[in-house]
Amino acid sequence: VAAVLAGLSLLSLLTCGYLAWGSRREGAGEAPGNLLGEEPTAGVPRSQPHIIFILADDQGFRDVGYHGSEIRTPTLDKLAAEGVKLENYYVQPMCTPSRSQLITGKYQIHTGLQHSIIRPTQPNCLPLDNVTLPQKLKEVGYSTHMVGKWHLGFYRRECMPTQRGFDSFFGSLLGSGDYYTHFKCDSPGICGYDLYENDNAAWDHDNGIYSTQMYTQRVQHILASHNPRKPIFLYIAYQAVHSPLQAPGRYFEHYRSINNINRRRYAAMLACLDEAINNVTLALRKYGYYENSIIIYSSDNGGQPMAGGSNWPLRGSKGTYWEGGIRAVGFVHSPLLKNKGSVCKELVHITDWFPTLITLAEGQIDEDIQLDGYDVWETISEGRRSPRVDILHNIDPIYTKAKNGSWAAGYGIWNTAIQSAIRVNHWKLLTGNPGYSDWVPPQAFSNAGPNRWHNERVSWSAGKTVWLFNITADPYERVDLSARHPEVVKQLLRRLSQFNKTAVPVRYPPKDPRSNPKLNGGVWGPWFKEDEKKKKSDKSKGANKQKKNKTKKKAN
């Protein structure tokens, strides 16, 4: 098989085709040769590891080969098998929340991003007073580069990736867009271009290339241009497999038998993503990074069944606090791991990467930074117990309230109308409206669906707003234990209340008409001008001075 893979044509390589593992040949869009003019020495001991964080978008829990998927993911399967699979690993149910927690090590309630995502037209971004992961890594000598989807706000220039710690940025600012044209319409008539090179629209780099391939080529170029003897942090946030469902034609070859068109397109997108990650790994080997690298792979949230994703046998989907929305595909692959080829079933959350990676990089975490993440490297690498015993999945005070929720239902401790979810040891509690709660089995994708008739529907008892599950014993959330264990419910409600006392106000401003790309050269980008604010404040100051002078004259 390796010989066949190594013999793929140059044309297929240009569309992120496979290379045999260990091959020295160039991959898709790979820069020709080492720009440093030297062949790196593999295995040279270095104290600070190269950190490569790969974040997939909307990949379902089942949508990887080693979770039983019909979609082939040989690269992910191999990397995970040779590394450590994270099988008790949690993220947030949507894009912005997961990305904000990764980059700050803080829960949403501590950044003000508790509700939904950052919309393109909102004057909102990750609050500027939050120190970011790339900023901390730069402090200890890392070169920091981001390729892919940002989705942490851009209304001010100070919100842009290059202002938040990245030396370079190539990718999109919004949550989604066309994979070829990079255009995005937020609503009828509110459309714009969304591909950036650092702080400017990347018109010159737009050749109609499929984004998964284009981002991989940029990663290869960065690795070819950097000195592997100096530490690098590479954050690769692929657009795939988020809608719109688009993929180059040749990736459909193995999936003609999938009748459901959305699932078939999704499978093709994931196949291309898997090949792209193979080429990233090959570039790490070719340019001398691999032996001192840590590769982390994660999805940002659960899959969306209506857009081809599958979380079976978990309950729920993207956008919900059921396990299908927040339990993610994740693994660590690195020659530096002590327990290679193992499975980690200890509790790990996306906030944990912030302190874990800073510690590995020999950085310092300031005492005044109140983190919600833990250093879990020994848990992952050596199989030790996790320092984490709980996860606040979220408290969203402005999400649609559950009609029958009340303080009485929460034993006077908590208003169960509020959407919230928390995990403490084996127990998980949900209140309010936790979202779409069906189980969507694989046969649901056998026709034009997912067809609701194939789903396992849930009939609620009237007025229910509290659920309790033992996730260790019942990871599929089939047996609600809230009536059987009221004392456990009370304990978790008290913990929710404690967390809520530390919450900051929600940041979710109304849309700003100045955000329209038509007012910004047809490009989505920063529209809030600091000068305008200063002019307004200067005018108001001047007006106040004139009023004071007038009052003085009158007094005289």
Side-chain angles (χ1 to χ4, degrees), residues 260-433:
N260 181 287
I261 185 62
N262 286 348
R263 183 68 175 168
R264 193 189 319 152
R265 289 170 177 164
Y266 179 96
M269 295 167 74
L270 186 55
C272 184
L273 177 64
D274 187 78
E275 290 188 359
I277 292 166
N278 177 66
N279 281 343
V280 169
T281 309
L282 286 169
L284 291 169
R285 292 176 181 271
K286 175 174 182 177
Y287 296 117
Y289 298 88
Y290 178 77
E291 294 300 326
N292 189 41
S293 69
I294 296 171
I295 303 170
I296 300 164
Y297 183 87
S298 170
S299 180
D300 67 339
N301 46 248
Q304 177 57 269
M306 299 306 290
S310 176
N311 304 305
W312 179 261
L314 302 180
R315 184 177 186 176
S317 65
K318 172 184 176 176
T320 77
Y321 291 97
W322 303 108
E323 293 290 284
I326 57 178
R327 185 177 281 207
V329 173
F331 63 79
V332 178
H333 178 97
S334 173
L336 308 178
L337 289 166
K338 292 187 178 179
N339 288 356
K340 299 181 185 69
S342 63
V343 175
C344 174
K345 295 185 179 180
E346 292 291 308
L347 203 56
V348 178
H349 186 246
I350 195 166
T351 52
D352 297 333
W353 297 122
F354 185 97
T356 300
L357 297 180
I358 291 173
T359 303
L360 283 170
E362 301 177 4
Q364 296 293 322
I365 298 174
D366 303 328
E367 292 182 4
D368 59 338
I369 298 180
Q370 299 295 316
L371 291 183
D372 296 304
Y374 295 85
D375 179 357
V376 292
W377 181 249
E378 291 182 349
T379 300
I380 295 169
S381 179
E382 302 174 28
R384 297 192 183 186
R385 296 299 302 271
S386 174
R388 178 179 286 283
V389 296
D390 60 17
I391 298 173
L392 175 66
H393 293 305
N394 197 24
I395 299 170
D396 187 343
I398 65 173
Y399 190 80
T400 305
K401 302 292 188 296
K403 291 181 180 178
N404 298 297
S406 66
W407 285 94
Y411 300 98
I413 302 168
W414 185 257
N415 182 358
T416 63
I418 295 172
Q419 184 193 60
S420 67
I422 189 170
R423 170 83 176 265
V424 178
N425 293 316
H426 304 298
W427 298 104
K428 177 182 176 182
L429 181 84
L430 302 99
T431 73
N433 179 1

Side-chain angles (χ1 to χ4, degrees), residues 468-544:
L468 178 71
F469 301 96
N470 183 324
I471 293 298
T472 306
D474 177 25
Y476 313 137
E477 297 172 298
R478 292 185 176 273
V479 183
D480 175 22
L481 300 172
S482 59
R484 202 181 305 177
H485 296 285
E487 290 306 316
V488 176
V489 171
K490 290 176 186 177
Q491 287 176 16
L492 269 63
L493 290 174
R494 290 190 192 99
R495 190 78 181 100
L496 269 177
S497 180
Q498 290 172 351
F499 270 120
N500 199 42
K501 290 174 183 175
T502 67
V504 301
V506 179
R507 298 167 61 99
Y508 199 74
K511 64 181 182 181
D512 186 338
R514 293 176 296 173
S515 63
N516 193 331
K518 289 180 180 177
L519 305 176
N520 193 29
V523 178
W524 288 105
W527 71 84
F528 184 90
K529 301 294 190 292
E530 194 66 37
D531 292 342
E532 291 178 12
K533 190 177 179 182
K534 286 181 180 177
K535 285 177 183 176
K536 287 180 181 178
S537 62
D538 289 344
K539 284 181 180 178
S540 61
K541 285 179 183 177
N544 289 335

